[in-house]
């Protein structure tokens, strides 16, 4: 049976890969140093594979056919090269099927699931050789019907139980991608909220996320922007690893990259 | 959903060079052949008219996709200083 040996949460943004020059050298160095810290931490965790909770931005899933959750059950997952280089990563059909069966009927499955920068953005830094198997899980953070924040939290708890039942790998690391606050595409494009982000990181670190579990999608969007829906992936990871200690590696509001940027490591 | 065909066109432009090129070069004939779009809808897409598209219910992430197709800064498209 598999053991969850660590977790990593981090914001994603294709601009940080395609347009690093949009920020000052100081910001770049700080962000990339944090990414290196996350990568180094991942190496020390010695995982056999990653369970990766990410989202999608109308590349694989379109607005007229959005599941709340979907597990990729293919053996390879190509990217979309959506403002980042083209990548492909390997998975495991057997392990994904085991996970899906253990999580239950709340999740869809998809064999030919392609992954956009929500997945390959963090992987670009965490496993640049794309040599670690990935079991991708899409969580809808973009358009209704999104899971409620409470559902996202509960999904994390189910996920932990399901991870324990995977027989193919021994050591697994869970990754959550997205957030923190960002208003993107609309009239407030490029806005971020440091106040929201700092409060969320404090709650994330302590593990007391009750206020966020109770928050409605519309209140979340008001406080953290339409991109802020992606904190669901952080909630899911924290709920899967409630006993882990959290080290926040970085927080910076980075309007130029359209994100309240943070990364954190969770260890037993 | 009235905006669905517009969003489908924009989404396809991110994945199919021909659609992206038709938008960039304002080739209405080709867009009409592929999508059920009115003249006004085509113009809003090729002009990256974010206000009009938003009023019609086009999702903000579709606007992000369109901005990448047309290489437009959305801050400027919304009338703000570029980021």
């Amino acid at each position: 049976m598999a053991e969850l040996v660590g977790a990593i949460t981090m914001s994603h943004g294709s601009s940080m890969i395609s347009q690093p020059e949009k920020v000052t050298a100081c910001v770049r160095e700080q962000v990339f140093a944090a990414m290196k810290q996350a990568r180094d931490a991942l190496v020390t965790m010695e995982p056999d594979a990653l369970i990766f909770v990410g989202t999608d931005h109308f590349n694989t899933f379109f607005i007229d056919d959005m599941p709340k959750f979907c597990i990729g059950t293919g053996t390879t997952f190509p990217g979309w090269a959506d403002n980042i280089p083209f990548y492909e990563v390997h998975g495991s059909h057997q392990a994904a099927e085991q996970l899906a069966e253990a999580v239950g009927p709340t999740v869809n499955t998809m064999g030919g699931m392609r992954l956009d920068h929500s997945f390959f953005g963090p992987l670009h830094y965490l496993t640049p050789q794309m040599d670690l198997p990935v079991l991708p899980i899409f969580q809808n953070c973009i358009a209704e019907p999104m899971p409620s924040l409470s559902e996202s939290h509960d999904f994390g708890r189910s996920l932990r139980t399901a991870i324990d039942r995977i027989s193919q790998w021994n050591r697994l690391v869970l990754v959550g991608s997205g957030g923190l606050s960002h208003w993107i595409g609309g009239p407030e494009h490029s806005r971020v909220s440091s106040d929201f982000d700092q409060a969320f990181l404090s709650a994330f670190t302590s593990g007391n996320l009750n206020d966020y579990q109770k928050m409605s999608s519309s209140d979340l969007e008001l406080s953290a922007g339409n991109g802020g829906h992606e904190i669901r992936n952080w909630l899911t990871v924290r709920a899967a690893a409630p006993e882990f200690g959290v080290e926040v590696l970085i927080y910076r509001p980075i309007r130029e990259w359209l994100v309240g940027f943070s990364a954190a490591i969770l260890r037993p | 959903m009235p905006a669905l065909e517009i969003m489908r066109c924009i989404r396809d432009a991110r994945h199919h060079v021909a659609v992206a090129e038709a938008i960039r070069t304002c080739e209405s004939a080709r867009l009409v052949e592929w999508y059920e779009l009115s003249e006004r809808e085509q113009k809003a897409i090729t002009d990256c008219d974010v206000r009009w598209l938003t009023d019609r219910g086009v999702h903000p992430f579709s606007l992000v996709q369109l901005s990448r197709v047309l290489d437009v800064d959305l801050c400027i498209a919304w009338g703000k200083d570029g980021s």
Side-chain angles (χ1 to χ4, degrees):
Chain A
M1 296 297 110
E3 178 189 4
L4 189 65
V5 296
I8 295 171
T9 47
M10 65 171 57
S11 309
H12 61 247
S14 62
S15 298
M16 58 189 292
I17 297 170
S18 65
Q19 296 174 297
E21 74 286 353
K22 288 192 97 174
V23 301
T24 64
C26 174
V27 172
R28 265 199 313 274
E29 283 166 17
Q30 195 181 2
V31 170
F32 294 153
M35 295 309 225
K36 183 178 183 310
Q37 268 184 284
R39 183 165 68 243
D40 291 347
L42 181 62
V43 170
T44 64
M45 291 170 189
E46 298 183 293
D48 299 317
L50 301 178
I51 309 292
F52 197 123
V53 185
T55 191
D56 181 75
H57 307 80
F58 292 156
N59 288 302
T60 299
F61 299 96
F62 196 48
I63 196 162
D64 59 350
D65 187 20
M66 280 272 183
K68 288 185 178 179
F69 303 100
C70 186
I71 295 177
T73 56
T75 53
T76 58
F77 302 99
W80 284 106
D82 55 325
N83 212 29
I84 63 171
F86 175 82
Y87 288 118
E88 188 170 74
V89 72
H90 293 284
S92 163
H93 176 73
Q94 181 193 339
E97 289 286 347
Q98 281 179 340
L99 191 80
E101 188 179 335
V103 170
T106 53
V107 295
N108 290 28
T109 58
M110 181 188 279
M113 193 159 99
R114 293 180 71 169
L115 311 176
D116 77 6
H117 72 267
S118 175
F119 292 85
F120 282 117
L123 290 173
H124 173 90
Y125 298 101
L126 290 174
T127 58
Q129 303 303 316
M130 301 296 159
D131 51 0
L132 201 55
V134 172
L135 201 163
I137 303 172
F138 161 80
Q139 176 160 216
N140 180 0
C141 304
I142 182 168
E144 295 298 344
M146 285 183 270
S148 68
L149 278 82
S150 176
E151 285 178 294
S152 298
H153 186 270
D154 292 349
F155 179 66
R157 297 170 72 163
S158 304
L159 197 55
R160 177 63 176 273
T161 306
I163 285 171
D164 291 343
R165 292 183 191 162
I166 291 178
S167 61
Q168 183 171 348
W169 295 311
N170 295 318
R171 298 175 63 83
L172 294 171
V173 167
L174 181 61
V175 181
S177 163
L180 302 178
S181 72
H182 53 297
W183 282 253
I184 187 160
E188 296 182 275
H189 182 70
S190 86
R191 180 184 163 197
V192 298
S193 169
S194 293
D195 289 346
F196 176 89
D197 293 342
Q198 299 283 9
F200 177 75
L201 283 173
S202 175
F204 182 81
T205 302
S206 72
N208 183 3
L209 290 159
N210 289 344
D211 289 348
Y212 296 92
Q213 287 174 247
K214 293 175 195 161
M215 193 177 273
S216 68
S217 281
S218 54
D219 283 346
L220 175 61
E221 189 162 325
L222 277 175
S223 304
N226 56 324
H229 288 297
E230 292 169 353
I231 68 160
R232 283 171 170 80
N233 295 336
W234 289 59
L235 277 180
T236 296
V237 167
R238 193 66 174 116
E243 77 279 26
F244 285 12
V246 175
E247 179 188 1
V248 175
L249 302 176
I250 184 173
Y251 173 71
R252 276 200 82 116
I254 310 179
R255 290 186 62 237
E256 297 87 344
W257 285 343
L258 309 171
V259 67
F261 186 86
S262 187
I265 299 169
L266 293 79
R267 292 187 179 91
Chain B
M1 182 181 188
L4 196 59
E5 193 70 357
I6 299 173
M7 292 171 62
R8 200 186 308 281
C9 172
I10 293 170
R11 192 269 308 262
D12 289 355
R14 290 294 288 156
H15 303 153
H16 302 291
V17 174
V19 181
E21 201 53 31
I23 289 175
R24 288 192 197 106
T25 57
C26 307
E27 285 185 71
S28 299
R30 298 183 77 182
L31 291 177
V32 167
E33 183 184 338
W34 296 329
Y35 302 97
E36 290 181 24
L37 295 172
S38 69
E39 200 173 312
R40 183 65 187 91
E41 288 168 336
Q42 289 170 51
K43 181 171 166 45
I45 292 171
T46 55
D47 290 351
C48 195
D49 187 343
V50 291
R51 289 175 198 283
W52 194 92
L53 292 167
T54 298
D55 286 347
R56 290 301 178 282
V58 170
H59 193 283
F61 276 96
S62 294
L63 300 183
V64 174
Q65 290 184 313
L66 181 59
S67 74
R68 300 262 158 78
V69 171
L70 292 170
D71 196 20
V72 165
D73 184 327
L74 280 176
C75 285
I76 293 171
W78 279 107
K80 304 189 293 184
D81 291 337
S83 56

